[in-house]
Amino acid sequence: MIGLLGAVLLIVAGAFGVTAVLDMSNPVVLVRYLTTRTSDLGNVFASRPLTKSSTPHQIPFAKQPFPDTVTWKGRQASVSDFLKETETNSFVVMCRGVQTHRWYRTNDDPDRTQSSWSVAKSFVGLVIGQLIDGGKLTEDTRLIDVLPEYETATEFDDITVGDLLDMSSGIDLNEDYSYFKPFWGVGGLQITTDLPSYVKKNRGMRFDPGEKFDYRSVDTQYLSMIAARVEDDTMTNILQRRIWEPLGMENDAKWNLDREDGTEKGFAGINATPRDFAKMGLLIANNGKVGDQQVVSEEWISRMTTQTVDAGDGWAYSAQWWQPPGHEEFNDLSALGVYGQYVYVNPEKQTVIVKLSDYDTERDEVATYSVFREFAEQCQESA
């Protein structure tokens, strides 16, 4: 028995040693990462606080009945069945700035901070737009102009802010979300305890910068690091003063870090309530304004809502925002995170929808947007 205990202790000690050498989260954190539901992963990693706005804004609520059915994957289904099948936690619909429909899986979900996953990328895109509008960056600014320590004397050095915004950098860091590959690609981005070093070790190139679209979370990580360097501040503090405060966020939130007092996971890991995620969508629907304040310029809103790159299969992408298949007809766009996170915006029909979930990776997204569009049509008809 003593021998077995000693062997177990040696294995545990070895595991801690290996992860430390690799600059990866220790085995205890890894186990929590692999066993915690995806919406709660913000509680697993270190974080930096986002504080509710000094002038919080409540989105008014005027309840409307849910439609009897929606078209879901070729059949008519109740809204409740659609939400339960896609493992939704929170579903909020806003029509012309007013909450008209809301559904929560549990009584805790309205006020529970839930992980954004890649919805965070769209927040970063807004901040970069503000910095460009303010003359602190241009889309032609090279990554190494701001972060010279990443220079390689290869094609990597030609990557621009514009390439990063449109997921066209060419960096060879895969986007495989398989849980059994935690040290690899985007999994490594998630669990490393040293993001700056991890991305520095992964500067290989798949193609020349700007050649084509290739979705890579590392592109947004670099954008967040560029913003932090330009502003000489943490990305959390930048988001706090540039977005969280003027948008009137109602609740405290947090942004996950690679380690205590470390670097923000710019590609993911903003943890907030559904209502506060909704305020980002309302900002877009209102052409960058909150009340009379122009928080993001109309020019940058136009940049986000105009297709820049063809992402394949009818998808388009621009400045960290998706335009789903059919966007040419519906003129809509969306922040989108793995495991079923959405902030959907249809500016023309003045519809914003937030859906936060614990669903599978990259599943039923096109069908989900079709449901959103039915709500947008209902909003237009009620005008």
Side-chain angles (χ1 to χ4, degrees), residues 111-133:
D111 298 310
R112 179 168 69 95
T113 57
Q114 299 173 55
S115 179
S116 67
W117 291 88
S118 288
V119 167
K121 292 179 170 72
S122 298
F123 278 102
V124 172
L126 291 173
V127 169
I128 293 295
Q130 290 173 322
L131 294 174
I132 289 173
D133 287 338

Side-chain angles (χ1 to χ4, degrees), residues 49-204:
L50 285 158
T51 306
K52 66 181 180 181
S53 173
S54 61
T55 55
H57 165 65
Q58 291 188 346
I59 304 169
F61 179 55
K63 183 178 180 180
Q64 291 187 12
F66 278 106
D68 292 336
T69 63
V70 291
T71 304
W72 171 240
K73 296 198 291 187
R75 71 179 194 273
Q76 293 301 299
S78 70
V79 174
S80 178
D81 284 347
F82 155 67
L83 295 173
K84 290 176 181 176
E85 184 176 330
T86 56
E87 299 183 49
T88 306
N89 298 314
S90 303
F91 184 71
V92 181
V93 180
M94 281 136 291
C95 178
R96 293 185 293 281
V98 176
Q99 293 181 74
T100 53
H101 306 82
R102 56 190 184 191
W103 181 98
Y104 298 104
R105 179 183 289 191
T106 72
N107 291 333
D108 294 332
D109 286 324
D111 298 310
R112 179 168 69 95
T113 57
Q114 299 173 55
S115 179
S116 67
W117 291 88
S118 288
V119 167
K121 292 179 170 72
S122 298
F123 278 102
V124 172
L126 291 173
V127 169
I128 293 295
Q130 290 173 322
L131 294 174
I132 289 173
D133 287 338
K136 295 187 174 184
L137 286 173
T138 73
E139 292 205 41
D140 292 328
T141 302
R142 294 184 305 164
L143 185 162
I144 64 166
D145 292 337
V146 182
L147 304 171
E149 65 271 28
Y150 288 89
E151 187 174 355
T152 65
T154 70
E155 293 87 349
F156 179 93
D157 297 352
D158 297 325
I159 296 170
T160 66
V161 168
D163 297 328
L164 297 170
L165 280 166
D166 294 331
M167 295 288 179
S168 303
S169 73
I171 299 171
D172 189 12
L173 187 66
N174 79 67
E175 201 70 14
D176 188 341
Y177 286 85
S178 302
Y179 266 52
F180 57 85
K181 297 179 180 178
F183 301 111
W184 179 259
V186 72
L189 280 177
Q190 187 67 253
I191 67 169
T192 182
T193 56
D194 191 345
L195 271 166
S197 292
Y198 184 77
V199 296
K200 183 174 278 190
K201 293 172 185 174
N202 289 275
R203 287 174 289 173

Side-chain angles (χ1 to χ4, degrees), residues 364-378:
D364 297 328
E365 290 165 348
V366 174
T368 299
Y369 284 118
S370 294
V371 173
F372 293 169
R373 285 165 174 164
E374 291 188 26
F375 278 94
E377 292 293 338
Q378 185 183 57

Side-chain angles (χ1 to χ4, degrees), residues 3-19 27:
L4 177 61
L5 178 59
V8 170
L9 289 174
L10 282 173
I11 291 170
V12 171
F16 273 83
V18 168
T19 52

Side-chain angles (χ1 to χ4, degrees), residues 323-334:
Q323 292 145 31
H327 60 91
E328 300 92 344
E329 176 185 354
F330 291 94
N331 298 312
D332 48 7
L333 69 159
S334 181

